[in-house]
Amino acid sequence: MAFIDLKNVTKAFPAGEDDYPAVRGVSLGIESGEFVAVMGPSGSGKSTLLSLLGGLSHPTSGVVSVDGIDLGGLGPNKLSDFRREYLGFVFQSFYLVPYLTAVENVMLPLVIQPGMNGTAKGAALEALRKVGLDAKAHRLPSQLSGGEQERVAIARAIVNKPPVILADEPTGNLDSRTGDQVLDMLRDLHRDGHTIVMVTHNVENAKRAGRTIEIRDGQVVN
Amino acid sequence: MKLIDIAVNNLRRKKGRTFFLVAGLALGIGAAVALTSVGDAMNREVMHTLDEFGANILVTPATEDLPLSYGGMTISAVNTGGRSLTLEDARRIRTIKNSENVSTVAPKLLVVSEVGKTKVMVAGVEFPAEFKLKKWWRVASGMKPGEVSEVLIGKDAAAKLGLAPGDNVTLGNGTFRVSGMLGDTGSQDDGLIFADLTAVQKQFRKGDAISLIELAALCSGCPIEDMVAQVNGVLPGAKAVAVKETVELKMQAMHYFHRFSLGISLLLLIVAGMIIFFAMTASVKERVQEIGLFRAIGFRTGHIIQVLLIEAFFVSLLAGVAGYALGAASPRIIAPYLMSAYNLKFVFDPGLAAGAVAASVLVGIAASIYPAVRAGRLDPIEALRTL
């Protein structure tokens, strides 16, 4: 069994009388330490696939497991604990909390981690240093550029040193130069040993990954 | 950083929204506090009036006879024999359970004396207690008696007996000096001569006897009937009765006002709670993505509920303090214009302050529980629509 393992996974959404299957019978495996790009056009089901990997939604049928843990068997709170321990999310829209400073945003995953009270700020500053933003640690998101906000989001994703980083169109809202910087960062994180699954519809971006999974109409085609 | 910091930062950095929430709840709490403190002040005013009103319990010797009255004319049992009261009885009144509610004990000895050919009633009294009991007494000419040999004379008695301050008068076996004359009281006091109780006892050879005891009882916390029963309990040979009509009517009006203000206060708290409920629900809707993010990065349902309830706690704590300040200050400013008939005095009431803050926190938290639980149960994928 692979580190991330999907077996015949289907995810359907209610649409009128019938359910619309966004992901249909997908089976795939991603090994620990891989950098995988999930490619496909808009509406192909790639983001739904990422939400299944991240335990943000349950499959309609099939089994999703990470590190041998069957995510379907976890209740809402256990799933929260799983995400905190195993995953770092990088979203296209950054999702920074507007009333918290950069360093406070990065600290968020540590706030609820037992035993991190004394060391949380140091770890957050260290993560910000990794993405080159330690000088702007005390700025609010509204005082940062789009690229800087994405870097804060990456710092937040890595601050608790999760084995897996899930990135959903991480360069979607950035200009090409800043987008390149973000991809370089993801590559560096891969070198540091993180397993990275990146959703993108950009072929050039996908080439940075070690493997590309192509998805169309909810099915893996390549 | 802790969960509390997330809540506090949100409140601090969204000052407008926080202000609106605090103001909404504070207005409700303030109005409730204002009503309660006006009610309390009116209550105190009525109690004060009760004190001014004079005696409200009359203690006379118990008699086994039928009432000695006919056609509105009464021959008092006070002087018609039977067991009389003593000063020791007056002292025993201070031992009743509600003795702290007894403001004045005024024992009296009534005797009839002749001045020239005219009969006059002499009341032996303890002057300090009597002046405290009869706040309407004014010495029209002369001075208050300072010596045991000095008497105070009623206006009608002075006219009939041809006495004026400075004159001497023989009462019983003693000679007394008229130190002052009372102004018109419109009561039986106008026809009496008031002398020191011990002097009257001595000059009329009455030993330790007294005719009756008048009590002024401040009885906001207990029914006057209870105190009457207590007095009857410690004085088996006496009969205590309550003089209560006017005061009781006032107390009844106060009781209605108290219930009315309680009802309105409750209504205001419910309205304030609804404001918090709707504001919290709107806030949760506005922060759906933020809550979705919290869930995605590992916050449990309980963590989200905690953050929102901490916010509600601080908002309602602030509102409680502001509401109390508002509610305590406003009647001081408004009351003189609205209720000129009352001389309302407002005092700091720590119980009311604590109650206002506690009610505010309770309403704030209770109104936020449902929105907070809903937020905690938000499906992260629904909240983060892009995934």
Side-chain angles (χ1 to χ4, degrees):
Chain A
M1 186 192 278
F3 184 68
I4 299 173
D5 197 66
L6 277 73
K7 278 202 171 63
N8 203 19
V9 170
T10 296
K11 176 71 181 175
F13 294 103
E17 299 252 317
D18 304 314
D19 286 351
Y20 169 73
V23 171
R24 310 164 191 227
V26 170
S27 294
L28 61 87
I30 297 168
E31 294 303 332
S32 176
E34 265 198 281
F35 185 170
V36 175
V38 178
M39 263 201 72
S42 243
S44 57
K46 55 190 191 300
S47 288
T48 305
L49 188 68
L50 199 68
S51 77
L52 292 165
L53 296 182
L56 291 171
S57 58
H58 284 296
T60 311
S61 64
V63 176
V64 180
S65 65
V66 177
D67 197 14
I69 303 166
D70 175 8
L71 301 192
L74 301 179
N77 281 331
K78 287 284 175 202
L79 261 182
S80 291
D81 295 347
F82 161 77
R83 288 193 292 266
R84 191 174 68 225
E85 207 175 315
Y86 276 88
L87 306 176
F89 284 97
V90 180
F91 303 104
Q92 182 181 359
S93 307
F94 320 139
Y95 288 133
L96 298 182
V97 179
Y99 53 83
L100 298 178
T101 60
V103 67
E104 286 168 341
N105 264 289
V106 176
M107 282 164 79
L108 275 175
L110 306 178
V111 165
I112 45 167
Q113 197 142 309
M116 287 299 288
N117 260 342
T119 54
K121 193 163 188 182
L125 284 169
E126 174 59 23
L128 277 174
R129 197 191 55 73
K130 268 193 185 165
V131 298
L133 264 184
D134 45 335
K136 295 183 176 177
H138 298 289
R139 295 206 184 167
L140 289 170
S142 57
Q143 297 165 325
L144 298 172
S145 70
E148 288 170 336
Q149 288 186 39
E150 184 72 321
R151 278 146 73 187
V152 174
I154 292 173
R156 183 181 60 198
I158 61 172
V159 71
N160 55 341
K161 300 187 170 63
V164 183
I165 291 170
L166 302 178
D168 184 36
E169 303 274 11
T171 61
N173 281 343
L174 303 174
D175 61 64
S176 59
R177 202 171 69 88
T178 320
D180 277 347
Q181 288 175 354
V182 166
L183 288 170
D184 287 344
M185 261 174 227
L186 288 177
R187 196 192 53 213
D188 290 346
L189 291 171
H190 173 234
R191 280 187 193 142
D192 288 349
H194 292 280
T195 304
I196 296 177
V197 180
M198 174 179 71
V199 160
T200 182
H201 60 265
N202 184 317
V203 180
E204 290 305 310
N205 288 351
K207 282 181 183 164
R208 304 279 197 105
R211 175 156 71 111
T212 301
I213 296 168
E214 208 176 328
I215 187 163
R216 263 178 218 280
D217 297 329
Q219 288 175 309
V220 175
V221 292
N222 183 9
Chain B
M1 193 168 74
K2 294 177 183 156
L3 291 177
I4 188 174
D5 299 308
I6 298 174
V8 170
N9 275 329
N10 179 40
L11 294 175
R12 264 180 44 210
R13 292 183 184 144
K14 290 181 181 167
K15 290 190 176 69
R17 184 182 149 271
T18 305
F19 175 79
F20 168 73
L21 269 176
V22 170
L25 188 52
L27 276 178
I29 297 287
V33 166
L35 267 172
T36 311
S37 59
V38 166
D40 283 353
M42 285 176 76
N43 216 2
R44 273 194 301 279
E45 167 68 6
V46 169
M47 288 305 118
H48 183 65
T49 311
L50 188 146
D51 194 18
E52 295 255 300
F53 180 73
N56 50 6
I57 298 177
L58 194 65
V59 185
T60 53
T63 171
E64 285 165 14
D65 299 330
L66 291 166
L68 304 176
S69 67
Y70 183 82
M73 290 171 60
T74 304
I75 303 166
S76 166
V78 169
N79 263 345
T80 54
R83 183 195 173 278
S84 41
L85 298 167
T86 65
L87 274 174
E88 176 54 28
D89 293 329
R91 278 189 285 276
R92 269 159 61 192
I93 287 171
R94 291 287 185 193
T95 66
I96 66 168
K97 187 178 155 219
N98 282 101
S99 59
E100 76 277 11
N101 296 100
V102 176
S103 92
T104 315
V105 177
K108 285 183 186 57
L109 173 60
L110 301 175
V111 292
V112 178
S113 182
E114 275 190 27
V115 177
K117 295 277 179 210
T118 313
K119 280 191 174 170
V120 64
M121 185 176 275
V122 178
V125 298
E126 289 176 349
F127 279 109
E130 208 63 20
F131 273 98
K132 195 176 166 199
L133 190 71
K134 296 175 176 171
K135 290 209 164 63
W136 56 89
W137 268 15
R138 299 283 173 268
V139 179
S141 60
M143 298 165 68
K144 283 185 188 178
E147 310 273 332
V148 289
S149 60
E150 289 183 335
V151 300
L152 194 63
I153 191 164
K155 186 175 156 254
D156 294 348
K160 282 214 171 127
L161 303 173
L163 290 171
D167 293 346
N168 286 332
V169 59
T170 303
L171 302 169
N173 300 321
T175 303
F176 294 82
R177 183 177 162 274
V178 178
S179 73
M181 185 183 79
L182 280 175
D184 197 356
T185 65
S187 71
Q188 76 268 12
D189 293 355
D190 291 345
L192 264 65
I193 294 176
F194 294 91
D196 179 76
L197 175 61
T198 53
V200 174
Q201 284 173 332
K202 190 177 161 198
Q203 302 304 344
F204 288 84
R205 294 197 177 87
K206 292 288 185 184
D208 196 27
I210 53 173
S211 311
L212 59 103
I213 306 164
E214 286 184 298
L215 297 184
L218 302 170
C219 218
S220 56
C222 66
I224 198 93
E225 284 79 9
D226 285 3
M227 293 186 65
V228 167
Q230 289 168 15
V231 172
N232 279 325
V234 294
L235 302 179
K239 186 184 171 203
V241 287
V243 184
K244 55 185 181 180
E245 296 83 3
T246 316
V247 171
E248 203 161 68
L249 276 175
K250 276 200 170 184
M251 289 300 291
Q252 204 173 24
M254 280 308 308
H255 186 60
Y256 287 139
F257 180 78
H258 183 68
R259 276 166 56 174
F260 169 75
S261 61
L262 210 67
I264 296 285
S265 300
L266 208 67
L267 198 73
L268 286 166
L269 286 183
I270 291 171
V271 171
M274 284 169 76
I275 291 175
I276 294 285
F277 174 81
F278 287 121
M280 269 300 191
T281 306
S283 166
V284 166
K285 270 193 180 160
E286 186 189 303
R287 292 161 71 184
V288 155
Q289 289 194 339
E290 181 187 317
I291 293 161
L293 169 85
F294 287 158
R295 297 286 281 130
I297 62 176
F299 278 53
R300 286 175 158 216
T301 303
H303 294 131
I304 307 281
I305 294 173
Q306 265 186 64
V307 169
L308 292 170
L309 289 187
I310 290 170
E311 282 181 26
F313 172 78
F314 279 116
V315 162
S316 49
L317 186 72
L318 261 173
V321 174
Y324 175 75
L326 198 73
S330 56
R332 284 178 169 79
I333 301 159
I334 299 165
Y337 300 101
L338 296 181
M339 288 167 282
S340 53
Y342 287 95
N343 176 28
L344 296 185
K345 287 187 181 70
F346 295 97
V347 290
F348 173 71
D349 180 351
L352 183 60
V357 175
S360 182
V361 170
L362 206 72
V363 167
I365 298 269
S368 304
I369 285 176
Y370 180 69
V373 169
R374 273 192 61 182
R377 287 186 182 162
L378 264 178
D379 185 353
I381 200 65
E382 287 292 318
L384 301 171
R385 297 226 169 116
T386 60
L387 266 183

